[in-house]
């Protein structure tokens, strides 16, 4: 790989990590949606850049579709939903932003260990790719757990999906086109349904505070 | 059978009267059951039936056993839906728009679950399972109010995360398979043929993700937390369908991988199955004892039975046979239990077990059906569950799993006492004066008789074709051709 491509690759590898940490530390939902878009763009470009072969037309179309969904459509849906349910900030649930970022750094350490252990048995790529993928997955889970707003939990789910996409596109070389398309459509449908669910929660409770969803227990 | 439910669901969107819509669902699912029986007869004659030329869709003995359970559960739940929604319509709680949405989602769920069962491509199987989550989420919110919304949101988030984990497991499994470049990596038949050459480390990690991921949707403890909330808030036919079959469909996905991981790392998969199974039985035993809501009690009872099934699958061929038998028996008994509690809930206006008293007096058919179904669920002879639980214990003895046996029996004993105590109070207490006696409908009698009769019959006699189907399915789980 030539030095320019390597520099771009390193920059792209760092982008999802920084974006994910920013998601953990930001309370403004508008900013979070944009950061999610940046994360989606970087993760969509990474497998393309790491591939040694020129992608066929249909693979290229799938990648462009993937980037459009993750960098443009999903953030746009979430921005619209947060505007409709009149929510601007997520004050955080069990932990504040600072603690969330600290936990994120801890996740990074765990991911470094998992990424190196599992990555040793996977197709050769810069080992950092697997570390980044596992970090994004763990941080997505963390976002779902520590945030109060249901919109932020959807962002956590998308972050988790982004991590899995990055892992899959590097680790598995032989996945049929139609299947990738099916998975992408499924994720799109899931986000669409979650958006509809958020509107229903807002209509019923006049809020999207997940902490208020505590009537059922035991 | 894959597309027909969607066509019927779309056709229901043109209907105007909710009573007609629920009847159409009952008629369609009856026809679907007939088609499932025809498909099963074909598979009994041949070891497998290919449904697509690229081998993505295929039916074998294991799949057809579950297809029959799926068709029967949908058939029973849809028939009950006619009576259940008749009362909801009369009470003004089930309008035409809601009925159309319900029909589309109900049949969409059927189509998605059928896809799970016929998918030979493990990725396609995942797509089917993810679709069931998306499609069935809004079936929970047929009733208005904050509690159903809360249940739906928990279901959507917890199961979506679980299914995402299952996708990670699927990818790891694909990475463990030596690729041919022909897009065969994710074909289950190809994975089975390549078992000897798989990367054992990756397969182990993959199986952990798969059991946690699909196990979340199957309601295995400790990932079961969505289940009591959903079953207590969803309409009774939805709870009956979900507990009767959707949980089995998720476990079916895990079981497709069990022979693969057992071939690469013997004992790894079965120990995990036993571990999650035992945890589920013990968690259910803890929570059932202090439940107040009948639907939540039945939800924890599902956690228990899925646990028993998991333990069975972890105990070798004898255990797998018992687990398959238990799957069938649990499907029948649990569907009837949800149907009974659902109807009694309409009569009493609550699912609170403290306020449901004298059920056998208020509604003789569903009161008796509740008693009989709970007796079946706690493993009283001569109901069929007694036989499958006995077979599971035999498998534990055969495998010298003494600790598992002791802890399982402790859990089952606690559940036996707790559920019996709850149900005796509900069925035989004094009926509140404000609750009128309901004249049983002939449809209700027939439905209860169908489920109970089958449970009793299976307790004393296993028809030879069914025995052959279970043996074939057990061989597939055991990794034999």
């Amino acid at each position: 790989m030539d030095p320019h491509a390597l520099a771009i690759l390193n920059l792209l590898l760092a982008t999802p990590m920084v974006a994910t940490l920013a998601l953990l530390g930001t309370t403004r939902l508008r900013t979070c949606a944009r950061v999610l878009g940046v994360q989606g763009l970087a993760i969509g470009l990474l497998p393309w850049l790491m591939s040694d072969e020129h992608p066929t037309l249909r693979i290229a179309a799938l990648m462009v579709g993937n980037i459009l969904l993750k960098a443009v459509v999903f953030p746009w849906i979430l921005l619209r939903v947060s505007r409709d349910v009149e929510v601007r900030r997520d004050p955080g649930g069990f932990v504040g932003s600072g603690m969330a970022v600290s936990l994120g750094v801890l996740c990074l350490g765990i991911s470094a260990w998992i990424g190196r252990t599992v990555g040793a048995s996977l197709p050769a790529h810069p080992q950092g790719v697997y570390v980044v993928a596992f970090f994004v997955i763990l941080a997505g889970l963390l976002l779902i757990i520590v945030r109060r707003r249901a919109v932020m939990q959807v962002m956590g789910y998308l972050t988790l999906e982004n991590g899995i996409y990055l892992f899959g596109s590097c680790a598995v070389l032989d996945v049929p086109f139609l299947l990738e398309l099916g998975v992408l459509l499924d994720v799109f449908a899931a986000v669409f349904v979650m958006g509809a669910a958020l509107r229903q929660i807002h209509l019923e409770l006049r809020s999207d505070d997940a902490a208020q969803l505590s009537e059922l227990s035991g | 059978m894959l597309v027909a439910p969607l066509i019927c669901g779309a056709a229901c969107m043109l209907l105007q009267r909710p009573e007609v819509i629920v009847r159409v669902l009952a008629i369609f699912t009856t026809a679907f059951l007939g088609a499932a029986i025809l498909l099963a007869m074909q598979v009994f004659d041949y070891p497998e039936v290919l449904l697509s030329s690229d081998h993505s869709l295929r039916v074998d003995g294991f799949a057809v056993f579950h297809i029959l359970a799926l068709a029967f559960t949908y058939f029973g739940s849809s028939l009950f839906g006619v009576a259940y929604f008749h009362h909801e319509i009369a009470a003004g709680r089930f309008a035409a728009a809601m009925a159309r949405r319900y029909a589309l989602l109900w049949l969409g769920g059927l189509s998605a679950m059928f896809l799970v069962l016929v998918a030979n491509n493990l990725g396609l199987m995942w797509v089917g399972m993810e679709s069931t989550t998306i499609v069935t989420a809004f079936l929970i919110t047929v009733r208005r109010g904050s509690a159903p919304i809360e249940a739906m949101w928990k279901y959507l988030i917890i199961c979506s995360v679980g299914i995402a984990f299952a996708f990670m497991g699927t990818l790891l499994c694909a990475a463990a398979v030596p690729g041919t470049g022909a897009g065969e990596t994710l074909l289950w038949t190809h994975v089975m043929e390549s078992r000897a050459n798989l990367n054992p480390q990756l397969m182990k990690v993959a199986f952990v993700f798969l059991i946690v991921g699909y196990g979340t949707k199957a309601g295995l403890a400790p990932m079961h937390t969505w289940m009591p909330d959903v079953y207590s808030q969803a309409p009774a036919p939805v709870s009956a369908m979900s507990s009767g079959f959707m949980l089995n469909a998720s476990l079916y996905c895990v079981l497709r991988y069990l022979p693969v991981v057992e071939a690469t790392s013997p004992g790894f998969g079965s120990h995990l199955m036993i571990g999650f199974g035992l945890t589920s039985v013990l968690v259910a035993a803890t929570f059932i004892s202090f439940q107040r809501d009948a639907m939540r009690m039945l939800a924890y009872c599902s956690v228990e039975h899925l646990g028993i099934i998991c333990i069975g699958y972890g105990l070798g061929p004898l255990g797998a046979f018992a687990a398959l038998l238990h799957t069938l028996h649990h499907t029948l008994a649990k569907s009837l239990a949800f149907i009974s509690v659902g109807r009694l809930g309409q009569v009493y206006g609550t699912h609170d077990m403290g306020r449901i008293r004298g059920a056998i007096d208020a509604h003789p058919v569903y009161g008796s059906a509740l008693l009989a179904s709970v007796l079946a669920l706690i493993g009283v002879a001569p109901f069929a569950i007694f036989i499958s639980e006995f077979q599971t214990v035999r498998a534990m003895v055969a495998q010298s799993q003494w600790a598992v046996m002791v802890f399982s029996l402790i859990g089952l004993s606690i559940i036996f006492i707790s559920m019996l105590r709850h149900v005796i109070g509900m069925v035989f207490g004094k009926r509140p004066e404000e609750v009128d006696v309901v004249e049983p409908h002939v449809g209700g009698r027939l439905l209860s008789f169908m489920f109970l009769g089958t449970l009793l019959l299976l307790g004393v006699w296993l028809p030879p074709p069914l025995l052959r189907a279970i043996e074939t399915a057990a061989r597939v789980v055991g990794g034999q051709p």
Side-chain angles (χ1 to χ4, degrees):
Chain A
M1 193 176 274
D2 69 85
H4 290 296
L6 197 64
I8 295 171
L9 183 67
N10 284 334
L11 184 70
L12 277 178
L13 266 178
T15 308
M17 281 209 295
V18 176
T20 308
L21 284 170
L23 274 174
L24 285 165
T26 311
T27 57
R28 274 175 60 90
L29 294 181
R30 185 173 281 273
T31 312
C32 285
R34 286 178 182 144
V35 171
L36 188 73
V38 173
Q39 185 196 62
L41 178 68
I43 283 178
L45 286 171
L46 263 170
W48 208 339
L49 202 73
M50 281 186 301
S51 171
D52 295 332
E53 299 162 17
H54 282 288
T56 59
L57 190 63
R58 66 178 198 177
I59 301 276
L62 188 69
M63 282 182 165
V64 169
N66 186 50
I67 289 170
L68 271 177
L69 268 185
K70 291 185 172 175
V72 182
V73 178
F74 289 162
W76 178 76
I77 290 176
L78 290 172
L79 274 175
R80 273 206 62 169
V81 170
S82 53
R83 196 184 61 204
D84 291 353
V85 301
E86 296 155 7
V87 175
R88 289 197 170 81
R89 282 182 183 277
D90 185 326
F94 311 110
V95 294
S97 303
M99 180 57 90
V101 174
S102 308
L103 287 171
V105 173
L106 182 68
C107 286
L108 189 57
I110 298 168
S111 309
W113 176 73
I114 302 174
R116 272 207 301 238
T117 312
V118 177
S121 313
L122 292 170
H125 283 298
Q127 284 292 302
V129 173
Y130 296 117
V131 176
V132 172
F134 278 106
F135 170 62
V136 176
I137 291 169
L138 286 180
L141 266 181
L142 189 62
L143 269 172
I144 293 171
I145 295 165
V146 302
R147 291 312 185 107
R148 277 178 78 129
R149 297 289 178 198
V151 179
M152 270 314 287
Q153 293 181 338
V154 179
M155 289 194 201
Y157 169 72
L158 281 173
T159 303
L160 175 77
E161 281 284 351
N162 279 342
I164 293 175
Y165 172 79
L166 178 60
F167 174 84
S169 53
C170 298
V172 187
L173 309 170
D174 189 21
V175 174
F177 171 75
L178 273 176
L179 184 62
E180 282 201 54
L181 197 65
V183 170
L184 206 57
L185 283 175
D186 246 14
V187 174
F188 176 67
V191 172
F192 191 76
V193 166
M194 283 178 186
L198 281 172
R199 286 197 175 89
Q200 214 174 349
I201 291 173
H202 180 68
L203 276 175
E204 201 65 47
L205 304 176
R206 309 303 305 165
S207 162
D208 87 323
D209 188 344
Q212 283 188 23
L213 300 172
S214 56
E215 195 180 321
L216 305 169
S217 61
Chain B
M1 288 174 81
L2 196 59
V3 184
L6 298 177
I7 295 172
C8 183
C12 285
M13 298 302 281
L14 305 172
L15 299 175
Q16 296 300 322
R17 294 179 54 201
E19 304 90 339
V20 177
I21 293 173
V22 290
R23 283 194 188 118
V24 167
L25 293 183
I27 293 166
F28 179 82
T29 48
T30 309
F32 191 88
L33 177 62
I37 292 169
L38 287 177
L39 180 66
M41 283 160 66
Q42 247 185 304
V43 178
F44 290 157
D45 292 337
Y46 305 97
E48 64 170 28
V49 174
L50 276 180
L51 301 180
S52 70
S53 56
D54 63 350
H55 294 240
S56 296
L57 303 176
R58 166 187 172 274
V59 182
D60 60 12
F62 187 48
V64 88
F65 173 80
H66 283 84
I67 288 171
L68 284 174
L70 165 74
F72 195 82
T73 308
Y74 256 89
F75 162 71
S77 308
S78 302
L79 277 190
F80 170 63
V82 176
Y84 180 86
F85 287 115
H86 171 75
H87 296 278
E88 295 296 301
I89 293 162
R93 291 193 293 257
F94 196 65
M98 182 65 85
R100 286 195 286 268
R101 193 181 82 178
Y102 177 84
L104 188 63
L105 297 174
W106 180 253
L107 294 176
L110 175 61
S111 181
M113 275 182 257
F114 187 74
L115 174 64
V116 170
L117 301 179
V118 299
N120 185 38
N121 187 313
L122 297 169
L124 208 55
M125 187 170 82
W126 179 87
V127 169
M129 208 64 235
E130 165 77 343
S131 305
T132 62
T133 311
I134 297 166
V135 169
T136 53
F138 283 100
L139 284 175
I140 302 164
T141 54
V142 167
R143 274 179 48 222
R144 291 266 169 215
S146 58
I149 299 255
E150 177 184 339
M152 180 263 284
W153 184 250
K154 283 181 182 170
Y155 171 72
L156 205 52
I157 285 292
I158 295 173
C159 289
S160 295
V161 171
I163 294 294
F165 267 62
F167 186 51
M168 185 74 184
T170 309
L171 292 171
L172 278 159
C173 174
V177 179
T180 59
E184 288 180 338
T185 308
L186 279 169
L187 291 185
W188 182 78
T189 39
H190 175 71
V191 175
M192 286 294 282
E193 282 163 12
S194 326
R195 276 178 296 178
N197 306 318
L198 301 186
N199 182 324
Q201 290 306 318
L202 281 182
M203 255 333 285
K204 275 186 182 176
V205 182
F207 194 73
V208 171
F209 273 101
L210 288 161
I211 199 167
V212 171
Y214 286 126
T216 304
K217 192 82 189 284
L220 291 179
M223 297 86 70
H224 66 284
T225 48
W226 60 271
M227 218 157 80
D229 295 348
V230 168
Y231 291 175
S232 61
Q233 298 306 318
V238 175
S239 301
M241 175 276 288
S242 176
S243 182
F245 192 73
M246 201 167 71
L247 307 180
N248 295 334
S250 310
L251 199 59
Y252 168 92
C253 298
V254 179
L255 294 169
R256 281 288 175 193
Y257 293 91
L258 184 63
V260 182
V261 76
E262 281 296 289
T264 55
S265 312
F268 181 79
S270 50
H271 284 147
L272 269 180
M273 294 294 284
I274 292 172
F276 275 105
L278 190 58
T279 310
S280 301
V281 171
L282 294 175
V283 165
T286 310
F287 281 87
I288 280 180
S289 50
F290 59 79
Q291 283 310 306
R292 297 179 62 84
D293 184 294
M295 289 292 207
R296 294 182 78 88
M297 177 187 75
L298 292 179
Y300 281 108
C301 179
S302 294
V303 175
E304 173 220 347
H305 283 282
L306 264 289
I308 295 170
I309 293 168
C310 264
I311 292 173
Y313 281 121
L315 292 171
L318 183 60
F321 182 88
L324 283 158
L325 209 54
H326 199 83
T327 302
L328 183 66
H329 299 161
H330 173 247
T331 295
L332 292 167
K334 189 51 65 61
S335 298
L336 181 61
F338 270 113
I339 285 170
S340 309
V341 172
R343 184 68 191 98
L344 290 172
Q346 285 179 321
V347 173
Y348 284 80
T350 180
H351 294 140
D352 186 338
M353 291 189 280
R355 289 168 57 195
I356 299 179
R357 286 284 179 261
I360 207 156
D361 182 22
H363 200 309
V365 168
Y366 286 113
S368 317
L370 173 65
L371 178 65
S373 59
V374 169
L375 288 177
L377 285 168
I378 58 178
V380 171
F383 289 111
I385 285 186
F386 170 76
I387 303 295
S388 45
E389 285 186 355
F390 179 70
Q391 294 284 352
T392 310
V393 174
R394 267 189 61 199
M396 288 174 195
V397 173
Q399 296 275 323
S400 304
Q401 293 279 0
W402 306 113
V404 177
M405 191 180 81
V406 169
F407 283 109
S408 308
L409 289 177
I410 290 172
L412 294 184
S413 306
I414 294 170
I415 291 166
F416 185 98
I417 295 164
S418 307
M419 284 188 71
L420 199 58
R421 181 172 56 88
H422 287 313
V423 81
I424 284 174
M426 288 167 75
V427 173
F428 295 116
K430 188 177 181 310
R431 174 173 58 86
E433 284 174 7
E434 67 273 17
V435 175
D436 296 327
V437 175
V438 179
E439 190 59 38
H441 189 264
V442 67
R445 282 179 208 270
L446 282 175
L447 192 67
S448 307
F449 182 76
M450 181 181 76
F451 278 100
L452 277 177
T454 315
L455 273 169
L456 277 169
L457 182 72
L458 292 176
V460 291
W461 178 62
L462 207 54
L466 186 60
L467 178 66
R468 205 147 44 98
I470 294 174
E471 281 171 348
T472 313
R475 272 203 300 276
V476 175
V477 184
Q480 295 163 18

